[in-house]
PDB file of all heavy atoms in Angstrom:
ATOM      1  N   PRO T  26      89.863  94.569  74.061  1.00 72.00           N
ATOM      2  CA  PRO T  26      90.976  93.951  73.327  1.00 72.00           C
ATOM      3  C   PRO T  26      92.342  94.428  73.881  1.00 72.00           C
ATOM      4  O   PRO T  26      92.538  95.573  74.338  1.00 72.00           O
ATOM      5  CB  PRO T  26      90.793  94.454  71.829  1.00 72.00           C
ATOM      6  CG  PRO T  26      89.387  94.821  71.801  1.00 72.00           C
ATOM      7  CD  PRO T  26      88.955  95.252  73.039  1.00 72.00           C
ATOM      8  N   PHE T  27      93.332  93.543  73.883  1.00 70.00           N
ATOM      9  CA  PHE T  27      94.673  93.905  74.555  1.00 70.00           C
ATOM     10  C   PHE T  27      95.406  94.837  73.692  1.00 70.00           C
ATOM     11  O   PHE T  27      96.485  94.484  73.175  1.00 70.00           O
ATOM     12  CB  PHE T  27      95.394  92.628  74.772  1.00 70.00           C
ATOM     13  CG  PHE T  27      94.768  91.824  75.771  1.00 70.00           C
ATOM     14  CD1 PHE T  27      94.895  90.399  75.750  1.00 70.00           C
ATOM     15  CD2 PHE T  27      93.931  92.195  76.679  1.00 70.00           C
ATOM     16  CE1 PHE T  27      94.306  89.523  76.685  1.00 70.00           C
ATOM     17  CE2 PHE T  27      93.263  91.392  77.582  1.00 70.00           C
ATOM     18  CZ  PHE T  27      93.482  90.037  77.538  1.00 70.00           C
ATOM     19  N   LYS T  28      94.893  96.061  73.737  1.00 77.00           N
ATOM     20  CA  LYS T  28      95.588  97.187  72.947  1.00 77.00           C
ATOM     21  C   LYS T  28      96.247  98.174  74.033  1.00 77.00           C
ATOM     22  O   LYS T  28      95.366  98.613  74.894  1.00 77.00           O
ATOM     23  CB  LYS T  28      94.670  97.995  72.061  1.00 77.00           C
ATOM     24  CG  LYS T  28      95.339  99.108  71.201  1.00 77.00           C
ATOM     25  CD  LYS T  28      94.257  99.816  70.427  1.00 77.00           C
ATOM     26  CE  LYS T  28      94.905 100.893  69.673  1.00 77.00           C
ATOM     27  NZ  LYS T  28      93.935 101.622  68.788  1.00 77.00           N
ATOM     28  N   ALA T  29      97.553  98.515  73.872  1.00 76.00           N
ATOM     29  CA  ALA T  29      98.095  99.345  74.924  1.00 76.00           C
ATOM     30  C   ALA T  29      97.543 100.755  74.887  1.00 76.00           C
ATOM     31  O   ALA T  29      97.390 101.341  73.951  1.00 76.00           O
ATOM     32  CB  ALA T  29      99.592  99.419  74.695  1.00 76.00           C
ATOM     33  N   LEU T  30      97.291 101.211  76.100  1.00 80.00           N
ATOM     34  CA  LEU T  30      96.790 102.547  76.324  1.00 80.00           C
ATOM     35  C   LEU T  30      97.656 103.355  77.319  1.00 80.00           C
ATOM     36  O   LEU T  30      98.370 102.633  78.081  1.00 80.00           O
ATOM     37  CB  LEU T  30      95.348 102.648  76.834  1.00 80.00           C
ATOM     38  CG  LEU T  30      94.170 102.081  75.989  1.00 80.00           C
ATOM     39  CD1 LEU T  30      92.925 102.176  76.688  1.00 80.00           C
ATOM     40  CD2 LEU T  30      94.189 102.761  74.547  1.00 80.00           C
ATOM     41  N   SER T  31      97.714 104.577  77.195  1.00 79.00           N
ATOM     42  CA  SER T  31      98.716 105.387  78.098  1.00 79.00           C
ATOM     43  C   SER T  31      98.318 105.234  79.581  1.00 79.00           C
ATOM     44  O   SER T  31      99.198 105.262  80.408  1.00 79.00           O
ATOM     45  CB  SER T  31      98.725 106.738  77.679  1.00 79.00           C
ATOM     46  OG  SER T  31      97.343 107.354  77.771  1.00 79.00           O
ATOM     47  N   ALA T  32      97.085 104.939  79.921  1.00 86.00           N
ATOM     48  CA  ALA T  32      96.647 104.862  81.229  1.00 86.00           C
ATOM     49  C   ALA T  32      96.866 103.466  81.830  1.00 86.00           C
ATOM     50  O   ALA T  32      96.696 103.283  83.056  1.00 86.00           O
ATOM     51  CB  ALA T  32      95.194 105.184  81.456  1.00 86.00           C
ATOM     52  N   ASP T  33      97.208 102.443  81.010  1.00 88.00           N
ATOM     53  CA  ASP T  33      97.390 101.105  81.466  1.00 88.00           C
ATOM     54  C   ASP T  33      98.244 100.927  82.700  1.00 88.00           C
ATOM     55  O   ASP T  33      97.855 100.345  83.727  1.00 88.00           O
ATOM     56  CB  ASP T  33      97.744 100.225  80.281  1.00 88.00           C
ATOM     57  CG  ASP T  33      96.717  99.863  79.340  1.00 88.00           C
ATOM     58  OD1 ASP T  33      95.523 100.301  79.675  1.00 88.00           O
ATOM     59  OD2 ASP T  33      96.909  99.242  78.331  1.00 88.00           O
ATOM     60  N   LYS T  34      99.407 101.475  82.597  1.00 89.00           N
ATOM     61  CA  LYS T  34     100.466 101.350  83.825  1.00 89.00           C
ATOM     62  C   LYS T  34      99.963 101.895  85.096  1.00 89.00           C
ATOM     63  O   LYS T  34     100.048 101.311  86.154  1.00 89.00           O
ATOM     64  CB  LYS T  34     101.726 102.016  83.444  1.00 89.00           C
ATOM     65  CG  LYS T  34     102.497 101.079  82.307  1.00 89.00           C
ATOM     66  CD  LYS T  34     103.875 101.572  81.956  1.00 89.00           C
ATOM     67  CE  LYS T  34     104.666 100.881  80.961  1.00 89.00           C
ATOM     68  NZ  LYS T  34     105.955 101.444  80.698  1.00 89.00           N
ATOM     69  N   VAL T  35      99.322 103.115  84.995  1.00 89.00           N
ATOM     70  CA  VAL T  35      98.705 103.844  86.134  1.00 89.00           C
ATOM     71  C   VAL T  35      97.666 102.962  86.796  1.00 89.00           C
ATOM     72  O   VAL T  35      97.647 102.809  88.064  1.00 89.00           O
ATOM     73  CB  VAL T  35      98.367 105.167  85.853  1.00 89.00           C
ATOM     74  CG1 VAL T  35      97.841 105.942  87.103  1.00 89.00           C
ATOM     75  CG2 VAL T  35      99.551 106.049  85.213  1.00 89.00           C
ATOM     76  N   VAL T  36      96.738 102.502  85.946  1.00 90.00           N
ATOM     77  CA  VAL T  36      95.637 101.695  86.486  1.00 90.00           C
ATOM     78  C   VAL T  36      96.140 100.474  87.104  1.00 90.00           C
ATOM     79  O   VAL T  36      95.764 100.066  88.171  1.00 90.00           O
ATOM     80  CB  VAL T  36      94.620 101.495  85.298  1.00 90.00           C
ATOM     81  CG1 VAL T  36      93.584 100.508  85.732  1.00 90.00           C
ATOM     82  CG2 VAL T  36      93.937 102.771  84.845  1.00 90.00           C
ATOM     83  N   SER T  37      97.151  99.732  86.374  1.00 90.00           N
ATOM     84  CA  SER T  37      97.665  98.573  86.941  1.00 90.00           C
ATOM     85  C   SER T  37      98.405  98.802  88.275  1.00 90.00           C
ATOM     86  O   SER T  37      98.356  97.893  89.160  1.00 90.00           O
ATOM     87  CB  SER T  37      98.690  97.850  85.920  1.00 90.00           C
ATOM     88  OG  SER T  37      97.990  97.569  84.693  1.00 90.00           O
ATOM     89  N   PHE T  38      99.064  99.919  88.339  1.00 88.00           N
ATOM     90  CA  PHE T  38      99.844 100.327  89.560  1.00 88.00           C
ATOM     91  C   PHE T  38      98.881 100.282  90.730  1.00 88.00           C
ATOM     92  O   PHE T  38      99.085  99.860  91.933  1.00 88.00           O
ATOM     93  CB  PHE T  38     100.542 101.524  89.408  1.00 88.00           C
ATOM     94  CG  PHE T  38     101.142 102.199  90.621  1.00 88.00           C
ATOM     95  CD1 PHE T  38     102.277 101.591  91.145  1.00 88.00           C
ATOM     96  CD2 PHE T  38     100.608 103.318  91.228  1.00 88.00           C
ATOM     97  CE1 PHE T  38     102.837 101.916  92.424  1.00 88.00           C
ATOM     98  CE2 PHE T  38     101.245 103.820  92.387  1.00 88.00           C
ATOM     99  CZ  PHE T  38     102.220 103.059  92.955  1.00 88.00           C
ATOM    100  N   PHE T  39      97.719 101.128  90.620  1.00 87.00           N
ATOM    101  CA  PHE T  39      96.821 101.170  91.660  1.00 87.00           C
ATOM    102  C   PHE T  39      96.031  99.860  91.931  1.00 87.00           C
ATOM    103  O   PHE T  39      95.798  99.456  93.047  1.00 87.00           O
ATOM    104  CB  PHE T  39      95.773 102.215  91.405  1.00 87.00           C
ATOM    105  CG  PHE T  39      96.246 103.573  91.612  1.00 87.00           C
ATOM    106  CD1 PHE T  39      96.797 104.440  90.648  1.00 87.00           C
ATOM    107  CD2 PHE T  39      96.142 104.159  92.989  1.00 87.00           C
ATOM    108  CE1 PHE T  39      97.251 105.616  90.873  1.00 87.00           C
ATOM    109  CE2 PHE T  39      96.745 105.456  93.259  1.00 87.00           C
ATOM    110  CZ  PHE T  39      97.231 106.207  92.137  1.00 87.00           C
ATOM    111  N   HIS T  40      95.821  99.066  90.864  1.00 88.00           N
ATOM    112  CA  HIS T  40      95.161  97.768  91.005  1.00 88.00           C
ATOM    113  C   HIS T  40      95.943  96.711  91.728  1.00 88.00           C
ATOM    114  O   HIS T  40      95.372  95.852  92.407  1.00 88.00           O
ATOM    115  CB  HIS T  40      94.749  97.319  89.579  1.00 88.00           C
ATOM    116  CG  HIS T  40      93.972  96.037  89.567  1.00 88.00           C
ATOM    117  ND1 HIS T  40      92.806  95.816  90.227  1.00 88.00           N
ATOM    118  CD2 HIS T  40      94.172  94.876  88.958  1.00 88.00           C
ATOM    119  CE1 HIS T  40      92.279  94.588  90.093  1.00 88.00           C
ATOM    120  NE2 HIS T  40      93.176  93.953  89.285  1.00 88.00           N
ATOM    121  N   THR T  41      97.199  96.697  91.486  1.00 87.00           N
ATOM    122  CA  THR T  41      98.087  95.603  92.060  1.00 87.00           C
ATOM    123  C   THR T  41      98.904  96.043  93.336  1.00 87.00           C
ATOM    124  O   THR T  41      99.243  95.113  94.076  1.00 87.00           O
ATOM    125  CB  THR T  41      99.093  95.134  91.079  1.00 87.00           C
ATOM    126  OG1 THR T  41      99.847  96.278  90.631  1.00 87.00           O
ATOM    127  CG2 THR T  41      98.368  94.579  89.784  1.00 87.00           C
ATOM    128  N   VAL T  42      99.072  97.315  93.480  1.00 84.00           N
ATOM    129  CA  VAL T  42      99.944  97.741  94.582  1.00 84.00           C
ATOM    130  C   VAL T  42      99.187  98.599  95.710  1.00 84.00           C
ATOM    131  O   VAL T  42      99.268  98.176  96.914  1.00 84.00           O
ATOM    132  CB  VAL T  42     101.136  98.665  94.135  1.00 84.00           C
ATOM    133  CG1 VAL T  42     102.063  99.080  95.285  1.00 84.00           C
ATOM    134  CG2 VAL T  42     101.942  97.909  93.184  1.00 84.00           C
ATOM    135  N   ILE T  43      98.366  99.522  95.332  1.00 82.00           N
ATOM    136  CA  ILE T  43      97.748 100.379  96.310  1.00 82.00           C
ATOM    137  C   ILE T  43      96.491  99.827  96.867  1.00 82.00           C
ATOM    138  O   ILE T  43      96.274  99.651  97.950  1.00 82.00           O
ATOM    139  CB  ILE T  43      97.554 101.783  95.672  1.00 82.00           C
ATOM    140  CG1 ILE T  43      98.799 102.416  95.209  1.00 82.00           C
ATOM    141  CG2 ILE T  43      96.845 102.703  96.726  1.00 82.00           C
ATOM    142  CD1 ILE T  43      99.810 102.580  96.208  1.00 82.00           C
ATOM    143  N   PHE T  44      95.512  99.594  95.930  1.00 82.00           N
ATOM    144  CA  PHE T  44      94.156  99.165  96.320  1.00 82.00           C
ATOM    145  C   PHE T  44      94.101  97.865  97.160  1.00 82.00           C
ATOM    146  O   PHE T  44      93.253  97.902  98.143  1.00 82.00           O
ATOM    147  CB  PHE T  44      93.243  99.036  95.075  1.00 82.00           C
ATOM    148  CG  PHE T  44      92.912 100.381  94.506  1.00 82.00           C
ATOM    149  CD1 PHE T  44      92.509 100.433  93.159  1.00 82.00           C
ATOM    150  CD2 PHE T  44      92.976 101.545  95.267  1.00 82.00           C
ATOM    151  CE1 PHE T  44      92.219 101.653  92.657  1.00 82.00           C
ATOM    152  CE2 PHE T  44      92.691 102.788  94.596  1.00 82.00           C
ATOM    153  CZ  PHE T  44      92.257 102.878  93.277  1.00 82.00           C
ATOM    154  N   PRO T  45      94.905  96.872  96.791  1.00 81.00           N
ATOM    155  CA  PRO T  45      94.795  95.599  97.824  1.00 81.00           C
ATOM    156  C   PRO T  45      95.114  95.873  99.160  1.00 81.00           C
ATOM    157  O   PRO T  45      94.478  95.201 100.086  1.00 81.00           O
ATOM    158  CB  PRO T  45      95.827  94.731  97.093  1.00 81.00           C
ATOM    159  CG  PRO T  45      95.942  95.177  95.682  1.00 81.00           C
ATOM    160  CD  PRO T  45      95.709  96.637  95.763  1.00 81.00           C
ATOM    161  N   LEU T  46      95.996  96.836  99.451  1.00 74.00           N
ATOM    162  CA  LEU T  46      96.353  97.220 100.868  1.00 74.00           C
ATOM    163  C   LEU T  46      95.222  98.030 101.501  1.00 74.00           C
ATOM    164  O   LEU T  46      95.157  97.841 102.736  1.00 74.00           O
ATOM    165  CB  LEU T  46      97.679  97.853 100.865  1.00 74.00           C
ATOM    166  CG  LEU T  46      98.916  96.955 100.560  1.00 74.00           C
ATOM    167  CD1 LEU T  46     100.216  97.870 100.404  1.00 74.00           C
ATOM    168  CD2 LEU T  46      99.178  95.897 101.531  1.00 74.00           C
ATOM    169  N   MET T  47      94.539  98.737 100.654  1.00 77.00           N
ATOM    170  CA  MET T  47      93.518  99.622 101.266  1.00 77.00           C
ATOM    171  C   MET T  47      92.204  98.952 101.589  1.00 77.00           C
ATOM    172  O   MET T  47      91.498  99.481 102.512  1.00 77.00           O
ATOM    173  CB  MET T  47      93.304 100.827 100.280  1.00 77.00           C
ATOM    174  CG  MET T  47      94.485 101.743 100.195  1.00 77.00           C
ATOM    175  SD  MET T  47      94.221 103.059  98.966  1.00 77.00           S
ATOM    176  CE  MET T  47      92.751 103.822  99.565  1.00 77.00           C
ATOM    177  N   ASN T  48      91.894  97.971 100.796  1.00 74.00           N
ATOM    178  CA  ASN T  48      90.523  97.344 101.032  1.00 74.00           C
ATOM    179  C   ASN T  48      90.225  97.053 102.444  1.00 74.00           C
ATOM    180  O   ASN T  48      89.106  97.551 102.979  1.00 74.00           O
ATOM    181  CB  ASN T  48      90.475  96.197 100.146  1.00 74.00           C
ATOM    182  CG  ASN T  48      90.305  96.598  98.640  1.00 74.00           C
ATOM    183  OD1 ASN T  48      90.085  97.703  98.223  1.00 74.00           O
ATOM    184  ND2 ASN T  48      90.513  95.602  97.814  1.00 74.00           N
ATOM    185  N   PRO T  49      90.942  96.171 103.176  1.00 71.00           N
ATOM    186  CA  PRO T  49      90.565  95.820 104.584  1.00 71.00           C
ATOM    187  C   PRO T  49      90.532  97.073 105.480  1.00 71.00           C
ATOM    188  O   PRO T  49      89.830  97.159 106.503  1.00 71.00           O
ATOM    189  CB  PRO T  49      91.615  94.785 104.979  1.00 71.00           C
ATOM    190  CG  PRO T  49      92.168  94.346 103.716  1.00 71.00           C
ATOM    191  CD  PRO T  49      92.080  95.526 102.732  1.00 71.00           C
ATOM    192  N   VAL T  50      91.528  98.102 105.329  1.00 74.00           N
ATOM    193  CA  VAL T  50      91.630  99.226 106.073  1.00 74.00           C
ATOM    194  C   VAL T  50      90.382 100.078 105.916  1.00 74.00           C
ATOM    195  O   VAL T  50      89.831 100.566 106.893  1.00 74.00           O
ATOM    196  CB  VAL T  50      92.874 100.030 105.705  1.00 74.00           C
ATOM    197  CG1 VAL T  50      92.981 101.316 106.470  1.00 74.00           C
ATOM    198  CG2 VAL T  50      94.192  99.202 105.965  1.00 74.00           C
ATOM    199  N   ILE T  51      89.989 100.294 104.714  1.00 79.00           N
ATOM    200  CA  ILE T  51      88.622 101.048 104.417  1.00 79.00           C
ATOM    201  C   ILE T  51      87.555 100.311 105.130  1.00 79.00           C
ATOM    202  O   ILE T  51      86.784 101.090 105.812  1.00 79.00           O
ATOM    203  CB  ILE T  51      88.331 101.079 102.918  1.00 79.00           C
ATOM    204  CG1 ILE T  51      89.439 101.906 102.219  1.00 79.00           C
ATOM    205  CG2 ILE T  51      87.001 101.629 102.682  1.00 79.00           C
ATOM    206  CD1 ILE T  51      89.315 101.910 100.726  1.00 79.00           C
ATOM    207  N   TYR T  52      87.544  99.070 105.124  1.00 74.00           N
ATOM    208  CA  TYR T  52      86.299  98.344 105.785  1.00 74.00           C
ATOM    209  C   TYR T  52      86.470  98.535 107.248  1.00 74.00           C
ATOM    210  O   TYR T  52      85.408  98.854 108.052  1.00 74.00           O
ATOM    211  CB  TYR T  52      86.432  96.892 105.403  1.00 74.00           C
ATOM    212  CG  TYR T  52      85.159  96.178 105.801  1.00 74.00           C
ATOM    213  CD1 TYR T  52      84.051  96.014 105.033  1.00 74.00           C
ATOM    214  CD2 TYR T  52      85.008  95.701 107.222  1.00 74.00           C
ATOM    215  CE1 TYR T  52      82.904  95.440 105.405  1.00 74.00           C
ATOM    216  CE2 TYR T  52      83.845  95.101 107.701  1.00 74.00           C
ATOM    217  CZ  TYR T  52      82.832  94.969 106.777  1.00 74.00           C
ATOM    218  OH  TYR T  52      81.665  94.317 107.213  1.00 74.00           O
ATOM    219  N   THR T  53      87.705  98.393 107.771  1.00 74.00           N
ATOM    220  CA  THR T  53      87.878  98.488 109.333  1.00 74.00           C
ATOM    221  C   THR T  53      87.474  99.927 109.827  1.00 74.00           C
ATOM    222  O   THR T  53      86.940 100.056 110.901  1.00 74.00           O
ATOM    223  CB  THR T  53      89.317  98.169 109.598  1.00 74.00           C
ATOM    224  OG1 THR T  53      89.495  96.831 109.168  1.00 74.00           O
ATOM    225  CG2 THR T  53      89.445  98.191 111.072  1.00 74.00           C
ATOM    226  N   LEU T  54      87.943 100.913 109.035  1.00 72.00           N
ATOM    227  CA  LEU T  54      87.631 102.304 109.453  1.00 72.00           C
ATOM    228  C   LEU T  54      86.188 102.572 109.532  1.00 72.00           C
ATOM    229  O   LEU T  54      85.733 103.528 110.281  1.00 72.00           O
ATOM    230  CB  LEU T  54      88.330 103.272 108.607  1.00 72.00           C
ATOM    231  CG  LEU T  54      89.931 103.294 108.612  1.00 72.00           C
ATOM    232  CD1 LEU T  54      90.444 104.286 107.605  1.00 72.00           C
ATOM    233  CD2 LEU T  54      90.378 103.668 110.035  1.00 72.00           C
ATOM    234  N   ARG T  55      85.369 101.788 108.916  1.00 72.00           N
ATOM    235  CA  ARG T  55      83.885 102.048 108.968  1.00 72.00           C
ATOM    236  C   ARG T  55      83.118 100.941 109.808  1.00 72.00           C
ATOM    237  O   ARG T  55      81.907 100.925 109.705  1.00 72.00           O
ATOM    238  CB  ARG T  55      83.409 102.037 107.483  1.00 72.00           C
ATOM    239  CG  ARG T  55      83.829 103.168 106.607  1.00 72.00           C
ATOM    240  CD  ARG T  55      83.317 103.032 105.261  1.00 72.00           C
ATOM    241  NE  ARG T  55      81.812 103.090 105.183  1.00 72.00           N
ATOM    242  CZ  ARG T  55      81.215 104.319 105.132  1.00 72.00           C
ATOM    243  NH1 ARG T  55      81.716 105.426 105.027  1.00 72.00           N
ATOM    244  NH2 ARG T  55      79.822 104.185 105.187  1.00 72.00           N
ATOM    245  N   ASN T  56      83.864 100.148 110.376  1.00 77.00           N
ATOM    246  CA  ASN T  56      83.333  99.115 111.282  1.00 77.00           C
ATOM    247  C   ASN T  56      83.581  99.402 112.720  1.00 77.00           C
ATOM    248  O   ASN T  56      84.652  99.242 113.273  1.00 77.00           O
ATOM    249  CB  ASN T  56      83.779  97.808 110.835  1.00 77.00           C
ATOM    250  CG  ASN T  56      82.941  96.601 111.524  1.00 77.00           C
ATOM    251  OD1 ASN T  56      83.189  96.387 112.628  1.00 77.00           O
ATOM    252  ND2 ASN T  56      82.189  95.951 110.681  1.00 77.00           N
ATOM    253  N   GLN T  57      82.651  99.725 113.543  1.00 80.00           N
ATOM    254  CA  GLN T  57      82.839 100.160 114.908  1.00 80.00           C
ATOM    255  C   GLN T  57      83.298  98.918 115.802  1.00 80.00           C
ATOM    256  O   GLN T  57      84.178  99.132 116.604  1.00 80.00           O
ATOM    257  CB  GLN T  57      81.638 100.805 115.466  1.00 80.00           C
ATOM    258  CG  GLN T  57      81.722 101.370 116.880  1.00 80.00           C
ATOM    259  CD  GLN T  57      82.860 102.512 116.868  1.00 80.00           C
ATOM    260  OE1 GLN T  57      82.890 103.367 115.868  1.00 80.00           O
ATOM    261  NE2 GLN T  57      83.668 102.494 117.810  1.00 80.00           N
ATOM    262  N   GLU T  58      82.727  97.707 115.432  1.00 83.00           N
ATOM    263  CA  GLU T  58      83.070  96.652 116.381  1.00 83.00           C
ATOM    264  C   GLU T  58      84.651  96.227 116.146  1.00 83.00           C
ATOM    265  O   GLU T  58      85.288  95.988 117.099  1.00 83.00           O
ATOM    266  CB  GLU T  58      82.221  95.341 115.928  1.00 83.00           C
ATOM    267  CG  GLU T  58      80.822  95.518 116.402  1.00 83.00           C
ATOM    268  CD  GLU T  58      79.973  96.256 115.508  1.00 83.00           C
ATOM    269  OE1 GLU T  58      80.497  96.850 114.450  1.00 83.00           O
ATOM    270  OE2 GLU T  58      78.779  96.365 115.717  1.00 83.00           O
ATOM    271  N   VAL T  59      85.077  96.283 114.882  1.00 84.00           N
ATOM    272  CA  VAL T  59      86.461  95.901 114.660  1.00 84.00           C
ATOM    273  C   VAL T  59      87.374  96.900 115.227  1.00 84.00           C
ATOM    274  O   VAL T  59      88.378  96.608 115.790  1.00 84.00           O
ATOM    275  CB  VAL T  59      86.779  95.723 113.192  1.00 84.00           C
ATOM    276  CG1 VAL T  59      88.270  95.402 112.871  1.00 84.00           C
ATOM    277  CG2 VAL T  59      85.841  94.580 112.608  1.00 84.00           C
TER     278      VAL T  59
END
């Protein structure tokens, strides 16, 4: 349920700003062909 928690902003920050940029990079670092 949409009840505000203290961790919401931090989780949203990583979800919308940090992790999207990291995903392809993580994959590439583990893929020898790329």
Side-chain angles (χ1 to χ4, degrees):
F27 294 154
K28 181 180 179 181
L30 297 177
S31 57
D33 282 351
K34 289 185 181 181
V35 177
V36 174
S37 295
F38 171 69
F39 281 95
H40 181 54
T41 58
V42 179
I43 303 299
F44 290 157
L46 292 171
M47 289 177 61
N48 288 344
V50 176
I51 290 173
Y52 190 94
T53 303
L54 292 176
R55 296 179 59 90
N56 188 291
Q57 189 59 45
E58 288 83 357
V59 178

